[in-house]
């Protein structure tokens, strides 16, 4: 009888990719990948450590799975493992693996299946000295869009962020390996590919930067309908990338550009690599080549030293830029970072500011979506919502609800947008497959 492996993935798109790579390898070795249950023979948790709350969530998940089935082998891997190697002593943990060598989880797991009495296993690299890109590859995906990890690591060392210590220095997947992986994806029928990384804009392989890689993908991969970036820093949008945005319909009409604060005082405290003037001028260049582009962003609320005046500057700057959506994060103290020792803002004030920005985000979403009522857009249909509706995303990342037509599932189609519905989704009528 096949062994059943229950998988839990916390955190970012890179974690999702890495979990899928391990699932694919386990399937090749004749294991069953299932939802976690008391019938599982083993659990694998791919953890997150971006905030103290993420650490706490990882610990709660470890506790929950151990008590779901104390007899199951419990494997913990990823960022929480890397930054908290003492987690091997948590109740129920049998295997602890950090970043840079996640495939070790499978070898350790097989050792435990052969001999349950084998001692606990731990493999935590000195990640700050790790410069090799771990060869992980996904051959099947859970969604209609496929994520391809092209880069790992970050060297920005923003004062609020633990990720450089969890992921290590920048390492990039070889260009040809990226091309071959995307070719296989397109041959398998996927319409959209998302390039993902911890610091995607720092991609570098030989003479190829991220812009060079994107140009090579668009030139050498036949049949790709849409190419999207998961996230990129504003100071990594170069002239070559702007030219690609101007000339290519394949490159999605959406960018996620983390702002974090609209105050230059706070950006300096965060040790970000730009100021608001630079950010604004680059946005103007982007909108000159893509006037209808959707630009989403991340904003940290209640960072140390953020006065009411600094917060109001952030609100004003957000409105000035005209983002289409905000991802709002109340600042969370992260042990091991510079900002943890800075004067902290009271929680009540953080919550008030968070509510204000979430409300602003709803207004921005509505304003952006309203521009497209009555217009025709391309939509990748992702899945059925129920027996009468289906949902997908447009190139500019509008969430589009449509009447269910099974022939369009997983396809790229033209639709006409009729109106805005709940949660700033839009309702549209299908016209034809592209």
């Amino acid at each position: 009888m096949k062994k059943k492996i229950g998988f839990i993935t916390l955190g970012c798109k890179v974690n999702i990719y890495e979990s899928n790579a391990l699932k694919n390898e386990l399937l090749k070795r004749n294991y069953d990948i299932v939802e976690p249950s008391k019938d599982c023979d083993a659990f694998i948790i791919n953890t997150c450590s971006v905030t103290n709350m993420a650490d706490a969530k990882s610990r709660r998940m470890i506790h929950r799975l151990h008590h779901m089935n104390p007899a199951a082998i419990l494997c913990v891997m990823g960022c929480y493992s890397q930054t908290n190697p003492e987690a091997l002593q948590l109740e129920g943990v049998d295997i602890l693996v950090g970043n840079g060598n996640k495939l070790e989880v499978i070898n350790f797991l097989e050792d435990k299946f052969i001999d349950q009495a084998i001692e606990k296993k731990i493999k935590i690299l000195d990640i700050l000295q790790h410069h090799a890109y771990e060869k992980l590859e996904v051959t099947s995906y859970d969604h209609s869009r496929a994520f391809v990890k092209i880069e790992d690591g970050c060297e920005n060392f923003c004062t609020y962020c633990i990720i450089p210590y969890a992921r290590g220095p920048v390492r990039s997947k070889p260009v040809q390996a990226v091309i071959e992986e995307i070719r296989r994806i397109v041959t398998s029928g996927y319409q959209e590919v998302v390039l993902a990384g911890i610091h995607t804009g720092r991609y570098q392989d030989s003479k190829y930067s991220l812009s060079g890689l994107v140009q090579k993908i668009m030139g050498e991969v036949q049949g790709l309908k849409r190419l999207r970036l998961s996230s990129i820093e504003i100071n990594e949008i170069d002239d070559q990338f702007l030219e690609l945005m101007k000339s290519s319909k394949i490159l999605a009409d959406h960018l996620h550009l983390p702002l974090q604060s609209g105050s230059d005082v706070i950006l300096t405290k965060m040790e970000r690599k730009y100021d608001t003037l630079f950010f604004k001028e680059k946005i103007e260049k982007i909108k000159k080549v893509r006037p209808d582009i959707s630009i989403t962003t991340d904003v940290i609320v209640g960072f140390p030293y953020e006065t009411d005046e600094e917060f109001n500057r952030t609100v004003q700057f957000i409105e000035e830029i005209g983002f289409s959506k905000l991802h709002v994060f109340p600042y969370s103290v992260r042990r091991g970072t510079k900002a943890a020792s800075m004067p902290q803002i009271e929680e009540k004030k953080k919550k008030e500011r968070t509510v204000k920005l979430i409300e602003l985000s709803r207004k921005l979403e509505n304003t952006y979506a309203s521009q497209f009522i009555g217009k025709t857009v391309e939509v990748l249909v992702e899945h059925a919502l129920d027996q009468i509706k289906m949902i997908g995303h447009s190139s500019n990342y509008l969430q589009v609800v449509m009447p269910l037509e099974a022939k369009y599932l997983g396809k790229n189609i033209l639709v006409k947008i009729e109106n805005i519905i709940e949660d700033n989704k839009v309702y549209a009528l299908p016209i034809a497959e592209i």
Side-chain angles (χ1 to χ4, degrees):
M1 186 180 293
K2 291 183 180 181
K3 298 285 189 183
K4 295 179 179 178
I5 314 294
F7 242 98
I8 292 285
T9 302
L10 306 174
C12 65
K13 291 180 176 68
V14 171
N15 265 11
I16 293 170
Y17 178 91
E18 292 170 344
S19 289
N20 280 339
L22 265 67
K23 288 177 185 179
N24 291 170
E25 180 61 29
L26 286 162
L27 288 169
K28 282 195 284 186
R29 299 192 194 192
N30 206 33
Y31 293 97
D32 270 345
I33 305 300
V34 299
E35 290 297 315
S37 74
K38 62 182 180 181
D39 297 323
C40 288
D41 298 290
F43 299 117
I44 298 177
I45 311 173
N46 195 0
T47 60
C48 178
S49 191
V50 69
T51 64
N52 285 353
M53 288 185 290
D55 277 0
K57 187 174 182 180
S58 295
R59 286 192 296 270
R60 286 196 301 271
M61 187 57 67
I62 291 167
H63 177 81
R64 177 187 155 202
L65 293 183
H66 173 62
H67 286 273
M68 182 184 289
N69 181 2
I73 298 168
L74 184 51
C75 312
V76 181
M77 68 178 190
C79 291
Y80 174 72
S81 303
Q82 185 70 47
T83 56
N84 298 271
E86 66 277 8
L88 189 66
Q89 305 310 317
L90 291 175
E91 185 182 17
V93 176
D94 297 295
I95 297 167
L96 194 77
V97 172
N99 287 318
N101 57 335
K102 287 183 173 177
L103 285 172
E104 288 284 353
V105 165
I106 298 177
N107 297 328
F108 288 165
L109 179 62
E110 294 194 323
D111 289 344
K112 288 289 285 184
F113 278 139
I114 293 168
D115 182 4
Q116 283 276 5
I118 199 168
E119 64 182 15
K120 289 187 174 189
K121 293 279 191 176
I122 182 169
K123 189 69 176 284
I124 307 292
L125 300 174
D126 180 356
I127 201 69
L128 292 178
Q129 300 302 317
H130 186 66
H131 299 280
Y133 185 88
E134 184 177 16
K135 188 179 178 181
L136 293 170
E137 187 175 288
V138 178
T139 53
S140 63
Y141 301 82
D142 299 332
H143 305 285
S144 53
R145 65 170 56 86
F147 291 91
V148 174
K149 178 186 170 186
I150 62 168
E151 179 275 342
D152 204 343
C154 180
E155 298 166 20
N156 264 8
F157 292 96
C158 300
T159 58
Y160 53 82
C161 187
I162 199 69
I163 295 306
Y165 304 97
R167 284 281 178 172
V170 170
R171 293 96 70 198
S172 299
K173 182 180 288 185
V175 164
Q176 205 52 44
V178 176
I179 297 293
E180 289 169 6
E181 186 171 353
I182 295 176
R183 279 182 180 145
R184 284 193 291 273
I185 287 165
V186 173
T187 301
S188 298
Y190 289 91
Q191 307 277 309
E192 179 178 320
V193 168
V194 183
L195 302 181
I198 299 301
H199 190 168
T200 314
R202 282 290 308 278
Y203 180 89
Q204 189 73 46
D205 179 49
S206 184
K207 64 179 181 179
Y208 291 98
S209 63
L210 177 64
S211 297
L213 173 66
V214 169
Q215 185 169 11
K216 192 170 177 68
I217 291 168
M218 293 190 298
E220 296 190 12
V221 179
Q222 302 302 312
L224 178 62
K225 295 287 181 68
R226 190 184 295 166
L227 184 66
R228 192 183 298 277
L229 302 182
S230 60
S231 179
I232 186 171
E233 296 287 349
I234 191 77
N235 51 346
E236 286 151 5
I237 303 282
D238 58 18
D239 290 344
Q240 184 182 3
F241 193 83
L242 288 170
E243 189 57 40
L244 290 170
M245 293 182 73
K246 183 178 179 180
S247 61
S248 172
K249 292 183 178 180
I250 292 175
L251 204 55
D253 212 14
H254 165 251
L255 288 172
H256 186 77
L257 303 169
L259 171 65
Q260 307 306 6
S261 176
S263 157
D264 287 333
V265 170
I266 301 303
L267 288 174
T268 300
K269 298 288 186 185
M270 291 177 167
E271 294 186 16
R272 299 291 285 168
K273 307 300 188 285
Y274 52 83
D275 58 18
T276 52
L277 178 60
F278 180 91
F279 199 102
K280 182 182 177 183
E281 289 178 345
K282 190 57 68 82
I283 293 291
E284 288 170 351
K285 288 182 179 180
I286 293 168
K287 289 188 174 181
K288 190 173 181 180
V289 297
R290 290 280 185 103
D292 292 335
I293 193 169
S294 166
I295 298 177
T296 56
T297 196
D298 298 332
V299 185
I300 295 174
V301 177
F303 187 79
Y305 300 103
E306 185 186 67
T307 62
D308 288 341
E309 182 182 0
E310 304 304 339
F311 174 71
N312 289 335
R313 281 182 183 155
T314 294
V315 173
Q316 183 180 352
F317 187 72
I318 288 168
E319 291 174 330
E320 196 175 324
I321 295 296
F323 293 104
S324 54
K325 186 174 183 177
L326 313 177
H327 296 264
V328 183
F329 302 93
Y331 171 72
S332 172
V333 175
R334 187 61 183 85
R335 177 172 55 91
T337 62
K338 288 184 183 179
S341 60
M342 296 178 182
Q344 302 299 313
I345 306 296
E346 60 178 308
E347 291 301 316
K348 181 182 177 184
K349 195 169 284 290
K350 281 188 204 175
K351 288 177 182 175
E352 289 170 354
R353 292 174 182 173
T354 299
V355 168
K356 186 170 182 178
L357 279 194
I358 289 173
E359 183 55 39
L360 175 57
S361 180
R362 291 194 188 103
K363 284 175 58 180
L364 292 168
E365 285 182 77
N366 186 274
T367 299
Y368 182 75
S370 297
Q371 300 174 49
F372 298 92
I373 294 174
K375 293 185 179 180
T376 300
V377 300
E378 294 182 17
V379 173
L380 174 60
V381 183
E382 292 162 25
H383 58 85
L385 280 175
D386 50 37
Q387 292 184 329
I388 59 172
K389 296 189 295 294
M390 58 189 186
I391 192 167
H393 282 86
S394 62
S395 175
N396 58 348
Y397 222 55
L398 292 172
Q399 273 194 292
V400 184
V401 176
M402 301 149 280
L404 177 61
E405 293 189 47
K407 65 181 179 180
Y408 290 142
L409 292 173
K411 305 294 185 183
N412 211 38
I413 68 172
L414 281 176
V415 304
K416 183 180 179 184
I417 296 177
E418 298 289 307
N419 57 280
I420 299 173
I421 55 177
E422 76 281 352
D423 299 325
N424 285 315
K425 297 182 181 73
V426 298
Y427 185 78
L429 297 177
I431 297 173
E433 184 178 340
I434 301 172

